[in-house]
Amino acid sequence: MKVLSMIQPWASLFVLREAEYETRTWRTHYRGPLAIHTSKKVDKPACRLDGVAELLAKHGYTEDNLPTGMIIGVCKLKNCLKIEENNGNWAVLEDSRVISGNDLFLGDYRVGGYAWEIEDMRMLGEYIPAKGQLGLWEFSGKI
């Protein structure tokens, strides 16, 4: 299965569906099953931001108890859309969708980047320890 590694708290907030899209500077043509892996790194200053800390607390997380080095969720990568416009309060994707609110706050919607659209996200009941990699990578174990 293809896997995407993400830094915490962004990985957990994505799997918990606080953000509908994952933003990347690069496009992928891959579509299909995708696992979400948490890197060993936790962006502690980000965890302390008011909005982020509140979203984490809503799910019982703090910067100190986020899972790291684990595959925590699975979904289906549906689409990869270019970010065409951003005025600071909202962004526009290539299919004219407008992004605002938590999605804008939790992502990097710089013009020229990409928003990865997923569906059927589910958090795993048991997390799977794994060493992450950059880009999309292949996990050969059972998920």
Side-chain angles (χ1 to χ4, degrees):
M1 176 179 268
K2 297 278 188 204
V3 183
L4 179 67
S5 292
M6 298 172 65
I7 295 171
Q8 288 286 34
W10 317 117
S12 286
L13 292 172
F14 184 55
V15 172
L16 291 164
R17 303 311 293 138
E18 292 297 343
E20 187 174 341
Y21 305 92
E22 166 57 6
T23 53
R24 294 280 147 165
T25 58
W26 48 280
R27 174 187 297 274
T28 182
H29 295 287
Y30 173 76
R31 303 293 182 270
L34 181 67
I36 304 300
H37 172 266
T38 63
S39 67
K40 294 247 182 203
K41 181 179 178 186
V42 175
D43 184 344
K44 291 191 176 201
C47 291
R48 295 178 193 132
L49 294 171
D50 286 342
V52 173
E54 290 167 19
L55 291 171
L56 289 172
K58 174 175 148 183
H59 298 282
Y61 287 111
T62 68
E63 67 186 75
D64 298 317
N65 69 354
L66 286 165
T68 58
M70 306 275 199
I71 294 173
I72 64 167
V74 292
C75 61
K76 180 180 174 191
L77 180 56
K78 182 179 174 180
N79 209 347
C80 181
L81 301 161
K82 191 168 190 175
I83 300 159
E84 299 285 341
E85 189 178 339
N86 185 327
N87 80 350
N89 294 316
W90 44 261
V92 180
L93 304 182
E94 66 182 286
D95 66 354
S96 300
R97 260 185 262 189
V98 176
I99 306 298
S100 61
N102 274 357
D103 280 313
L104 188 68
F105 171 65
L106 295 174
D108 180 0
Y109 286 89
R110 281 183 257 188
V111 172
Y114 296 90
W116 292 23
E117 180 183 16
I118 60 99
E119 60 187 9
D120 302 328
M121 177 65 82
R122 93 181 149 80
M123 185 170 275
L124 298 178
E126 282 189 41
Y127 301 156
I128 301 167
K131 184 177 179 184
Q133 299 177 32
L134 293 176
L136 284 177
W137 52 278
E138 200 69 39
F139 182 74
S140 58
K142 186 176 187 307
I143 296 181

